[in-house]
Amino acid sequence: MKLRGISAKEVLRELEERLVSDMSYHSGRILGSMCTLPHPLARKIFSRYLEKNLGDPGLFPATFQLEREVISMLGELLGNSNASGIITSGGTEANISAMRIARNVSRKNGRKGKTIIVPESAHASFDKAADLLDVKIIKARLDEEYRVDVDDVQEKVTSDTFAIVGIAGTTALGTVDPIEALSDIAEDKGIYLHVDAAFGGFVLPFLEKAGFRVPSFDFRNEGVCSITVDPHKMGMAPIPAGGLLLRDEKLFIENSFEIPYLAGGKYNHPIILGTRSGATVIATWALLNHLGVEGYTKIVKRCMRNTRILERGIQKIDGLRLPVKPTMNIIGILSDIVDVCKLDLELRKKGWALGKFPEFLRIVVMPHVKKRHIIEFLSELESAVQILLASRTLTSSI
Ligand SMILES: Cc1ncc(COP(=O)(O)O)c(C=O)c1O
């Protein structure tokens, strides 16, 4: 650290220079992220209320009330306006917290609470949860549509199982697991069911409003105990804004930690964070009110239109295909003739940042990805495939 500080002007100038190598959403070249540019209104509000701390809600009762309203709006969106909940730092914290609550519920009911069953497609946050909670994670296989195989889940359930997880919008391909069937298993066996709709929670309800056929994934399924839903993904809220909704408020109360020393008066923390951003909650409240169902539906429809353009474009390129038809604005790219790792490298050389999974590449068509970016990308994708095919022909002819 410098002994004597430099002027604010110098700091700003240095930052302008240093940060220039970061990628920008404006470029349209970030194709593999579930985050996006926060909505302009949310940006403005976020910077205005930076000091609000919901780790000490007694000091900020009005912000706390806005959080209650955000939870109620999200609950309504996900089939239960009475749901309880909290805004977290992201999907990871929400998923870990849900697994902790599920483990405690199980042990309180005299069960072993030793294993969770998640789909093979589950986000790494469940591996983190299992590690932190010192429980075993069992991965159920996927069917040919990349959704969890319900029979496999059923077979894997034992008296050690304390939670089953279903995904509504997988990280890799945006597929939706058969939540209705998982809900039946959970109810039948008396096991906690958590739905990770970190991404899909801000897409599926609006797709449904737009007339798309959407599988049932939310609290309308009686076995669903909790749902992760992240405003900082398709909700266009500033980072950090995840969300955890619980059907039964009692579970939050019973599984929280009393913090006695707070200036605003003692309060119980139900999640991992202590000090946490109130600004993000206020910004989320503002967006939900400003955009409303109609505004979010428009955004989701636009992303879906662009997804269809991309889908058709990929299908026209020789040698490429989709692993599965997109359910939402996430699309995979598979190839039987070129190595997708090499394809990824070729695209990175041209400045495109996609997601890379073992078998395929993946694009998330977020609101910052415009039609013009997709047209440009498709043309560079085609030439990247040709470069790889040409180098293959050259190597085999030597
Ligand atoms: C389905 C799903 N759940 C959870 C997460 C974790 O969210 P975060 O990165 O906000 O912690 C992600 C992130 O991509 C995700 O795709």
Side-chain angles (χ1 to χ4, degrees), residues 106 111-119 136-141 148-166 181-194:
S106 150
R111 299 174 69 143
K112 295 184 217 153
K114 280 189 180 163
T115 62
I116 58 175
I117 300 176
V118 307
K136 191 167 165 200
I137 183 164
I138 295 180
K139 302 203 173 172
R141 64 168 177 264
V148 77
D149 178 335
V150 176
D151 292 337
D152 197 40
V153 173
Q154 180 100 38
E155 273 170 31
K156 287 185 158 65
V157 171
T158 68
S159 58
D160 282 353
T161 312
F162 69 86
I164 298 174
V165 172
L182 295 179
S183 172
D184 289 344
I185 297 176
E187 278 200 288
D188 185 41
K189 309 264 183 196
I191 297 173
Y192 191 104
L193 173 60
H194 175 67

Side-chain angles (χ1 to χ4, degrees), residues 16 20 23 37 68 123 125 127 144 190 194 219 228 233 246 262 270 291 300 315 319-320 339 350 392:
E16 287 272 304
V20 89
M23 286 195 76
L37 281 168
R68 298 303 91 219
H123 185 260
S125 44
D127 296 292
E144 65 288 353
H194 175 67
F219 284 117
T228 290
K233 294 187 168 72
L246 248 65
L262 297 171
L291 291 169
V300 166
Q315 283 167 330
L320 299 186
D339 176 346
K350 295 168 189 273
R392 211 177 62 166

Side-chain angles (χ1 to χ4, degrees), residues 45 54 62-88 201-202 206 219 227 229-232 235 237-238 240-246 276-290 296:
I45 288 174
L54 279 174
T63 305
F64 184 68
Q65 173 56 27
L66 294 185
E67 184 177 36
R68 298 303 91 219
E69 293 178 25
V70 166
I71 295 303
S72 155
M73 286 186 268
L74 293 179
E76 192 185 342
L77 202 61
L78 300 179
N80 180 0
S81 43
N82 293 321
S84 175
I86 190 160
I87 295 301
T88 63
F202 262 96
F206 305 115
F219 284 117
I227 302 183
V229 50
D230 289 355
H232 72 198
L244 175 61
L245 300 189
L246 248 65
R276 63 189 177 95
S277 170
T280 204
V281 168
I282 301 172
T284 303
W285 181 93
L287 285 185
L288 293 174
N289 280 289
H290 176 62
Y296 277 113

Side-chain angles (χ1 to χ4, degrees), residues 175-243:
T175 50
V176 181
D177 288 327
I179 305 296
E180 272 176 335
L182 295 179
S183 172
D184 289 344
I185 297 176
E187 278 200 288
D188 185 41
K189 309 264 183 196
I191 297 173
Y192 191 104
L193 173 60
H194 175 67
V195 174
D196 181 359
F199 188 83
F202 262 96
V203 179
L204 294 166
F206 305 115
L207 277 182
E208 197 174 351
K209 307 270 186 254
F212 287 73
R213 264 192 61 220
V214 169
S216 168
F217 73 99
D218 59 19
F219 284 117
R220 284 171 287 185
N221 297 285
E222 289 297 318
V224 175
C225 300
S226 53
I227 302 183
T228 290
V229 50
D230 289 355
H232 72 198
K233 294 187 168 72
M234 281 295 287
M236 299 189 73
I239 300 166

